[in-house]
Amino acid sequence: MTENRISRWYFGGLSSSAAACLTHPLDLIKVHLQTQQEVRVRMIGMTVNVVRREGYLALYSGLSASLCRQMTYSLSRFGIYETVRDKVNRKNKGLMPFYQKVLLGAFGGGFIGTPADLVNVRFNTKLFRVPHVFLHNILHSKITEGIRKLFSGATMASTRGALVSVGQLSCYDQSKQLVLATGYLADNILTHFLASVIAGGCATILCQPLDVVKTRLMNSKVEYRSVFHCLTETAKLGPKAFYKGLVPAAIRLIPHTVFTFIFLEQLRQHFGEVVVA
């Protein structure tokens, strides 16, 4: 009999929040790039413009909203995925097949974090901003635009959340399983790094078109009547419009994925629940 450690349900939210603290400036620049109507400046130029206008601390504007999103959206999808996966693995005395991981990852991806995600986008694009007062912005949106506006873009956000979860959670599990199966690496930080880089790349490619549309919907007041209208208006800008901000998205999402899983694995190895197998 051997003792193994499995993640506790809240480890995903904690690790995602820690990763967000390191990658938030990249997320802010990505949102600014995606909400340009025309491509005027690139990633470096946008960063320089933000710093010149508002200073270096402006790169962390909206961090409170980002952390709230991680502790709702990421906590729920990680909690659902890892709890169900571990129970199924113990019941079947083996690892889940990849297609089941994909279905579970898609199911765990995100409607619950949509209000926090909306406020995060608006924080970053300055549609409204009260420094460090996240709840004020939620109440402002509810009072001035209605409670339904807090779920603006919920369809796209949920679909994107499903794709991100498939790319991150399912692909990370499968990549880690394949790396360990080679016999060259143990369950250590190098394995976690390699698997999370692969997962971050998969997640970026899968969700970037939906991420652009989702951001435009959440940033919209009256420009778009529906998801389809937003899609058609974005398509008029050309196919590349759906991959606007791809480089900063990859630069942001891949490191965020790497940090998230490294933190998650460290939490699991040192503070996880002990299970006798």
Side-chain angles (χ1 to χ4, degrees):
M1 297 179 68
T2 59
E3 289 187 352
N4 296 320
R5 288 186 178 271
I6 62 173
S7 294
R8 300 183 187 275
W9 64 271
Y10 53 85
F11 281 0
L14 294 177
S15 57
S16 296
S17 296
C21 290
L22 299 176
T23 60
H24 184 75
L26 294 170
D27 193 28
L28 181 140
I29 296 302
K30 179 203 71 171
V31 171
H32 276 287
L33 287 170
Q34 287 179 346
T35 52
Q36 292 182 103
Q37 292 302 314
E38 297 178 0
V39 179
R40 295 187 295 270
V41 293
R42 302 290 182 178
M43 180 181 177
I44 296 177
M46 183 66 76
T47 304
V48 171
N49 288 343
V50 172
V51 172
R52 280 179 178 173
R53 289 197 310 266
E54 304 176 60
Y56 289 101
L57 291 179
L59 294 175
Y60 278 90
S61 177
L63 179 60
S64 58
S66 181
L67 292 177
C68 181
R69 179 177 182 269
Q70 299 303 328
M71 291 305 292
T72 52
Y73 162 69
S74 291
L75 185 146
S76 62
R77 68 192 180 99
F78 270 89
I80 292 171
Y81 181 87
E82 298 216 319
T83 300
V84 174
R85 180 203 61 192
D86 292 339
K87 287 185 177 180
V88 171
N89 287 345
R90 289 199 301 272
K91 180 179 179 181
N92 296 337
K93 296 182 180 180
L95 299 176
M96 292 177 66
F98 182 60
Y99 80 91
Q100 290 184 5
K101 295 176 184 176
V102 170
L103 294 175
L104 182 57
F107 175 77
F111 183 78
I112 192 171
T114 300
D117 200 14
L118 166 68
V119 176
N120 183 40
V121 169
R122 294 198 170 192
F123 234 69
N124 291 340
T125 55
K126 296 178 65 175
L127 280 180
F128 53 75
R129 182 182 299 171
V130 177
H132 313 300
V133 187
F134 175 70
L135 288 178
H136 181 280
N137 287 321
I138 288 184
L139 293 174
H140 180 280
S141 182
K142 177 182 176 182
I143 293 170
T144 60
E145 301 177 67
I147 190 67
R148 291 180 61 185
K149 191 62 179 179
L150 283 176
F151 288 88
S152 176
T155 301
M156 299 306 298
S158 299
T159 305
R160 177 191 176 275
L163 292 176
V164 170
S165 296
V166 169
Q168 284 185 328
L169 303 178
S170 307
C171 290
Y172 175 81
D173 263 0
Q174 195 67 20
S175 299
K176 179 182 173 183
Q177 182 180 330
L178 292 174
V179 170
L180 292 175
T182 64
Y184 293 108
L185 294 174
D187 189 2
N188 54 31
I189 196 167
L190 179 57
T191 297
H192 307 156
F193 174 79
L194 292 174
S196 58
V197 168
I198 296 171
C202 292
T204 303
I205 293 171
L206 282 173
C207 75
Q208 184 61 17
L210 287 177
D211 193 31
V212 171
V213 176
K214 175 187 73 84
T215 301
R216 285 178 175 270
L217 282 170
M218 288 183 169
N219 191 46
S220 168
K221 285 189 175 180
V222 294
E223 292 91 338
Y224 305 117
R225 297 186 298 273
S226 64
V227 173
F228 181 75
H229 184 223
C230 183
L231 283 168
T232 55
E233 290 298 310
T234 305
K236 290 178 182 178
L237 301 175
K240 291 183 179 179
F242 288 103
Y243 283 91
K244 185 183 291 184
L246 177 63
V247 173
I251 293 174
R252 178 259 172 188
L253 186 56
I254 292 176
H256 184 273
T257 303
V258 170
F259 287 130
T260 295
F261 282 109
I262 287 178
F263 290 144
L264 180 65
E265 293 284 7
Q266 292 302 306
L267 286 172
R268 178 184 64 81
Q269 291 179 357
H270 293 90
F271 306 104
E273 180 182 351
V274 177
V275 175
V276 177

